[in-house]
């Protein structure tokens, strides 16, 4: 395969994820829109959007896939120490739109961001529909870190995280993973490798294996609900 698929405007169907390009790794399709039905269809098929403001909407399914099995969460000595300080509080779904805006801010290494205004609006709609969720870390009433992603079945699809203070995004991730493990989630999709995620225990699996897990777990019923404004003031485990 040497070209990508252009999506029909009147259909939310995607080509099979295993038809994605090898170079650039995972590029599958372009076009379409960021409507709620299309985004839900994308995640159900192991596909996610990732593009710049000056590009058409691009859809990806990389191989290999970076994932974290909740039981494989790794806590370094320094992170354990940060968690034991308990000088923070953690909430779920208290400030979703602030989290995604913070995630969209340019990083120190680049002035660019892939979280466009259209992306922020689309994921806010996913949040209001009950699919997208955020985790927030607070110190002295200030939002200092967090993350957001999509929950479907026993899968959580991580999208982005941010830190304004040391280890804040890692603290958010630890609380998310431990809560998902309690609920019986099977897998956290981290999309592509990063040293930050690898330091927390994430690793790579073949896309074919990821898709098998996805097809099995995406429609599995989970016996829990995401509650607004949960607040974890202290963390009992170390």
């Amino acid at each position: 395969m040497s070209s990508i698929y252009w999506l029909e405007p009147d259909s939310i169907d995607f080509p099979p994820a295993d038809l994605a390009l090898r170079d650039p790794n995972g590029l599958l399709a372009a076009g379409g829109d960021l409507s709620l039905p299309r985004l839900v269809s994308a995640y159900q098929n192991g596909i996610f959007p990732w593009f710049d403001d000056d590009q058409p909407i691009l859809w990806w399914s990389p191989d290999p896939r970076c994932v974290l099995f909740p039981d494989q969460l790794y806590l370094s000595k320094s992170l354990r120490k940060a968690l034991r300080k308990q000088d923070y509080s953690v909430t779920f779904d208290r400030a979703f739109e602030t989290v995604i805006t913070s995630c969209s801010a340019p990083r120190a290494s680049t002035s660019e961001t892939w979280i466009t205004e259209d992306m922020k609006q689309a994921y806010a709609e996913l949040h209001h529909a009950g699919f997208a969720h955020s985790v927030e870390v607070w110190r002295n009433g200030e939002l200092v870190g967090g993350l957001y992603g999509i929950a479907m079945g026993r899968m959580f699809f991580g999208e982005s995280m941010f830190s304004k203070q040391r280890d804040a995004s890692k603290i958010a991730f630890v609380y998310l993973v431990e809560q998902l493990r309690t609920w019986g989630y099977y897998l956290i999709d981290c999309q592509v490798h990063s040293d930050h995620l690898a330091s927390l225990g994430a690793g790579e699996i073949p896309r074919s294996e990821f898709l098998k897990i996805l097809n099995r777990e995406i429609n599995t019923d989970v016996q829990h609900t995401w509650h607004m404004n949960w607040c974890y003031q202290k963390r009992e485990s170390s």
Side-chain angles (χ1 to χ4, degrees):
M1 176 181 173
S2 59
S3 61
I4 63 173
Y5 292 84
W6 282 89
L7 300 180
E8 297 294 333
D10 56 349
S11 171
I12 62 171
D13 293 334
F14 287 89
D18 57 9
L19 295 180
L21 295 176
R22 293 184 178 180
D23 185 20
N25 180 17
L27 181 57
L28 175 67
D33 56 28
L34 296 173
S35 66
L36 179 63
R38 191 184 297 275
L39 284 171
V40 170
S41 176
Y43 283 98
Q44 288 174 336
N45 288 280
I47 300 161
F48 58 87
W50 185 23
F51 61 99
D52 294 329
D53 254 334
D54 59 351
Q55 296 175 323
I57 300 173
L58 302 177
W59 302 90
W60 303 78
S61 186
D63 185 19
R65 193 81 166 216
C66 184
V67 302
L68 176 75
F69 294 91
D71 287 341
Q72 295 179 5
L73 175 67
Y74 175 76
L75 304 181
S76 66
K77 289 183 179 179
S78 62
L79 181 53
R80 289 178 185 271
K81 182 178 179 181
L83 289 164
R84 284 196 298 268
K85 284 184 179 179
Q86 299 181 350
D87 59 347
Y88 56 84
S89 60
V90 178
T91 58
F92 282 34
D93 281 351
R94 177 171 290 182
F96 181 89
E97 293 188 25
T98 304
V99 167
I100 193 171
T101 296
S102 298
C103 288
S104 72
R107 309 300 164 103
S109 58
T110 178
S111 61
E112 297 180 353
T113 177
W114 61 271
I115 305 175
T116 65
E117 290 300 318
D118 287 344
M119 288 279 277
K120 285 190 276 188
Q121 181 178 346
Y123 281 80
E125 291 180 8
L126 278 172
H127 174 61
H128 293 307
F131 293 106
H133 303 280
S134 60
V135 184
E136 303 91 18
V137 178
W138 310 82
R139 284 194 175 101
N140 300 317
E142 178 188 357
L143 182 63
V144 297
L147 60 84
Y148 75 97
I150 310 299
M152 293 183 183
R154 294 205 301 166
M155 302 283 293
F156 188 88
F157 305 88
E159 278 298 316
S160 188
M161 56 178 64
F162 79 97
S163 279
K164 293 183 179 179
Q165 295 180 9
R166 182 180 176 86
D167 291 327
S169 66
K170 290 184 177 182
I171 290 171
F173 191 73
V174 169
Y175 275 80
L176 171 69
V177 174
E178 292 189 344
Q179 185 61 68
L180 295 179
R181 182 165 53 199
T182 298
W183 285 335
Y185 276 62
Y186 190 84
L187 191 67
I188 299 169
D189 175 29
C190 301
Q191 298 180 347
V192 294
H193 171 87
S194 73
D195 292 341
H196 185 73
L197 292 167
S199 73
L200 292 162
E204 293 181 325
I205 62 174
R207 180 175 57 214
S208 58
E209 181 180 348
F210 172 79
L211 293 175
K212 287 179 182 177
I213 294 171
L214 174 70
N215 290 336
R216 185 183 72 233
E217 302 294 339
I218 193 70
N219 293 314
T220 301
D221 188 31
V222 288
Q223 302 300 315
H224 77 88
T225 56
W226 289 78
H227 295 292
M228 296 291 289
N229 295 341
W230 278 339
C231 183
Y232 299 86
Q233 295 289 351
K234 294 180 66 177
R235 183 176 183 275
E236 299 300 332
S237 58
S238 60

